[in-house]
Amino acid sequence: MIYTVTLNPSIDFIVRLPQLTLGEVNRMESEDKFVGGKGINVSRILKRLGKDSIATGFLGGFTGQFVKDGLLAEGIGIDFVKVDQDTRINVKIKADQETEVNGLGPTITPEQLEALKEKLARVTAEDVVVFAGSAPHNLGNSIYQDLIAIVKAQGAEVVCDFEGQTLLDSLAFEPLLVKPNHHELGMIFGKTLTDLDDIQQEAKKLLEMGAKNVIISMAGDGALLVTAEATYFARPIKGQVKNSVGAGDSMVAGFAGSIMTTKDPVEALKWGVACGTATAFSDDLAELSFIKEIYQQVEVVKL
């Protein structure tokens, strides 16, 4: 089974208008409300791929009920800890420029945190647990060290989709996959990375520090997979980018869902690229038919 851990889920409130003018009344042209959170996005794409998962983390209030109902409507398994305060709302304003206003999220009590730890302690060596996104403000991202350790103690594999120091800290647990983009990779090592060879060399450092597979997403310039055996480059696919929210999560889902069954990191890369690209070219997370269409366009070469 694949478990996805989203410690600070959200409702993503998408607002579209031609232009945002500060200090004035702005009238939207259209809006959408989606269940959000990086781990939740992974579960939603896995479901489209026909892969079962169980989404866990913290949910509370009427906003948490919206998230719960949305996941159940898609047939996704859930096992969240109920909290006292409302799950957050993130506002994504799509105008002449994209602007985001992200909610703070609930305060997690020690008892609620312990309840989540008990759930994670039930995973087995047959499972993969995806940790993704930021933690609630009163816990801080350092809490991932405790949660990942619990999962690894049960023999499960972990996928860690973090940035910066949180990603570096996760490498001690030998994650099955980490997936920074090339800008995040450069920030980790204090470099500006534009050349493919330079990106490859820095990605190998993450491998040496503990990661089993490293994917570097490069937006419109393709993606790089570094493994202990070889490095592979997925050529970019042309199309109109409509949605940057969830593309990286979709890539994680495609890789994790494939590698559990195929044990082939190159095939997993192809599905990861297909899912991530299809979402980038969609208004919401990509549908299966479009993912399959993009999969046929994925070209991977060994470097």
Side-chain angles (χ1 to χ4, degrees):
M1 178 62 73
I2 299 176
Y3 293 82
T4 63
V5 180
T6 309
L7 297 184
N8 206 3
S10 66
I11 296 175
D12 286 344
F13 183 32
I14 312 298
V15 175
R16 302 179 187 88
L17 62 164
Q19 185 175 356
L20 176 66
T21 304
L22 297 180
E24 296 186 12
V25 174
N26 294 268
R27 299 193 183 279
M28 64 185 72
E29 293 183 330
S30 64
E31 64 175 78
D32 283 299
K33 301 178 187 71
F34 300 118
V35 297
K38 293 179 70 64
I40 284 173
N41 289 340
V42 172
S43 279
R44 292 182 67 205
I45 287 291
L46 285 169
K47 188 63 180 181
R48 286 157 166 75
L49 296 173
K51 309 285 186 180
D52 288 333
S53 72
I54 295 176
T56 188
F58 302 109
L59 286 178
F62 75 101
T63 46
Q65 189 64 45
F66 178 93
V67 173
K68 178 181 178 181
D69 291 345
L71 293 174
L72 291 176
E74 293 191 45
I76 295 169
I78 60 172
D79 190 19
F80 285 90
V81 174
K82 184 177 180 180
V83 299
D84 308 312
Q85 300 174 357
D86 292 343
T87 292
R88 62 182 177 158
I89 299 174
N90 294 338
V91 182
K92 318 287 186 179
I93 303 171
K94 295 182 180 291
D96 50 329
Q97 299 183 63
E98 284 199 18
T99 302
E100 297 189 12
V101 182
N102 288 346
L104 190 61
T107 297
I108 307 303
T109 67
E111 293 77 16
Q112 291 159 358
L113 177 59
E114 188 60 33
L116 179 62
K117 289 180 177 180
E118 290 175 2
K119 292 180 185 296
L120 294 177
R122 301 187 194 119
V123 303
T124 73
E126 303 300 317
D127 300 325
V128 173
V129 183
V130 178
F131 292 93
S134 59
H137 61 97
N138 74 303
L139 296 182
N141 279 8
S142 60
I143 193 61
Y144 281 116
Q145 297 291 293
D146 296 339
L147 301 182
I148 296 172
I150 290 170
V151 168
K152 290 295 292 186
Q154 313 310 312
E157 293 275 16
V158 296
V159 171
C160 297
D161 189 10
F162 303 131
E163 300 177 15
Q165 188 60 47
T166 309
L167 183 151
L168 289 175
D169 291 342
S170 74
L171 297 176
F173 298 98
E174 299 182 344
L176 179 65
L177 173 70
V178 296
K179 189 213 61 63
N181 62 41
H182 62 297
H183 297 302
E184 294 164 352
L185 181 66
M187 290 179 64
I188 287 172
F189 294 111
K191 298 180 179 180
T192 300
L193 301 175
T194 55
D195 181 82
L196 191 60
D197 289 337
D198 291 340
I199 294 172
Q200 179 179 346
Q201 291 306 312
E202 298 305 311
K204 285 182 177 179
K205 292 180 182 179
L206 300 182
L207 207 69
E208 294 165 359
M209 296 168 71
K212 296 179 180 178
N213 297 279
V214 178
I215 291 181
I216 308 298
S217 53
M218 297 178 286
D221 295 321
L224 200 67
L225 169 66
V226 181
T227 73
E229 290 73 33
T231 299
Y232 303 90
F233 176 62
R235 301 185 191 279
I237 298 170
K238 293 182 179 180
Q240 180 185 357
V241 176
K242 298 180 180 180
N243 173 35
S244 59
V245 177
D249 309 328
S250 299
M251 176 177 277
V252 169
F255 185 95
S258 175
I259 203 164
M260 274 200 75
T261 53
T262 67
K263 309 301 181 184
D264 181 351
V266 178
E267 183 67 11
L269 171 65
K270 293 172 68 175
W271 279 106
V273 169
C275 292
T277 303
T279 287
F281 295 168
S282 303
D283 290 323
D284 185 24
L285 298 182
E287 297 296 335
L288 179 60
S289 59
F290 192 32
I291 292 171
K292 288 182 174 179
E293 179 184 329
I294 296 294
Y295 176 84
Q296 298 302 321
Q297 302 177 47
V298 178
E299 297 180 39
V300 174
V301 295
K302 185 177 179 180
L303 300 182

